[in-house]
Amino acid sequence: MSPLHVRAQTGDVAPFVLLPGDPSRAQYVADNFLDDVKTYNTYRSLLGFTGVYKGMPVSVQTTGMGCPSASIVAEELVQLGARVLVRIGTSGAVDPALQAGDLVIAQGAVPLDGTTRQYLEGRPYSAIPSWPVLRSLAAAAESSGERYHVGLIATEDAFYATNPENAREWHRYGVMAFEMEAAAIFLIAKMRGVHAGALVTVSNQIGDKEFIPQEILQRGVHRMVETALEGLLLLEGEV
């Protein structure tokens, strides 16, 4: 029987899965990076596709916005045989050194969300990616020759509740940017015995009045996807 939300069968999902929040971004990955693409899920607009990148089977699966949705999707992907989950998304920066379109590879995610708190029953926890995934993503970014950062991000729930001044206070503790899914994906991967990582593109500094031009963001997203896929190639046969 297929899971409730990712309505696929075992074998439909590749061992390596990219996780964008946005269904249009999943479609973009399928259309621009993968060959021999097959759609395995459309339920609730959680679009899921499996294809081939440079000979390696890869899936791209929409998570929706926020940890509650992402945790459901991650749990069900593991049930379907996924072994490596890599979040690809956008983020708001709190580190003034970050520029629009920059790539950030997560070394850890401060869990400011409610989903991980419920899983953990309130226990303190460090949400970190799997070392082989982090190492491979960083190696792929380095080989590209383009600007990137490796560091701490924060995962939050309430997009419009964020106070720019309070968010920037987290930079004192090493946080570079905020997003909404990574901590839950890292936790579930650790609990279920699979691997996870995350890389995000900076869309703006938190508190900016306007977002960056779409063409700058799209270039950053394209590079992020390419880096993630090249990182997965480095992992093939290792995990």
Side-chain angles (χ1 to χ4, degrees):
M1 186 174 72
S2 67
L4 290 173
H5 306 88
V6 182
R7 296 190 172 181
Q9 303 296 323
T10 301
D12 292 340
V13 175
F16 296 97
V17 187
L18 298 184
L19 300 176
D22 182 356
S24 67
R25 191 163 295 141
Q27 187 75 62
Y28 180 83
V29 173
D31 291 346
N32 291 277
F33 290 92
L34 303 182
D35 298 320
D36 302 323
V37 174
K38 296 180 180 178
T39 304
Y40 62 78
N41 192 62
T42 60
Y43 182 65
R44 290 179 176 255
S45 295
L46 294 171
L47 301 185
F49 308 95
T50 296
V52 177
Y53 179 76
K54 296 185 178 180
M56 178 181 66
V58 178
S59 294
V60 55
Q61 172 63 54
T62 308
T63 64
M65 289 187 285
C67 286
S69 179
S71 65
I72 290 170
V73 169
E75 292 273 25
E76 295 185 359
L77 288 171
V78 173
Q79 293 173 27
L80 290 164
R83 295 294 303 161
V84 178
L85 307 174
V86 176
R87 162 149 165 74
I88 51 172
T90 53
S91 64
V94 292
D95 184 337
L98 298 186
Q99 301 176 9
D102 275 5
L103 182 66
V104 179
I105 300 169
Q107 195 173 22
V110 178
L112 303 179
D113 65 290
T115 301
T116 56
R117 186 162 58 248
Q118 183 172 354
Y119 268 96
L120 293 161
E121 298 179 331
R123 297 177 182 88
Y125 185 76
S126 297
I128 60 172
S130 303
W131 167 243
V133 180
L134 173 59
R135 181 187 61 206
S136 296
L137 292 175
E142 180 69 22
S143 68
S144 75
E146 296 198 53
R147 181 182 172 93
Y148 75 99
H149 313 266
V150 178
L152 192 61
I153 62 174
T155 298
E156 64 176 358
D157 279 341
F159 184 86
Y160 286 107
T162 300
N163 178 295
E165 288 72 30
N166 289 344
R168 283 193 288 270
E169 281 294 306
W170 280 98
H171 180 50
R172 295 171 55 198
Y173 310 108
V175 171
M176 304 181 78
F178 277 64
E179 55 81 68
M180 298 182 69
E181 290 86 23
I185 293 167
F186 292 168
L187 172 61
I188 289 165
K190 296 295 185 186
M191 292 175 66
R192 307 304 175 214
V194 300
H195 297 273
L199 61 173
V200 292
T201 300
V202 174
S203 61
N204 65 304
Q205 286 280 335
I206 290 179
D208 283 354
K209 301 298 183 183
E210 297 181 3
F211 286 104
I212 62 173
Q214 184 61 32
E215 60 271 18
I216 295 176
L217 181 60
Q218 190 56 44
R219 183 183 182 277
V221 167
H222 190 93
R223 179 185 165 220
M224 171 181 65
V225 175
E226 188 170 44
T227 301
L229 288 166
E230 290 295 320
L232 292 179
L233 280 177
L234 296 175
L235 277 175
E236 195 174 22
E238 182 178 343
V239 298

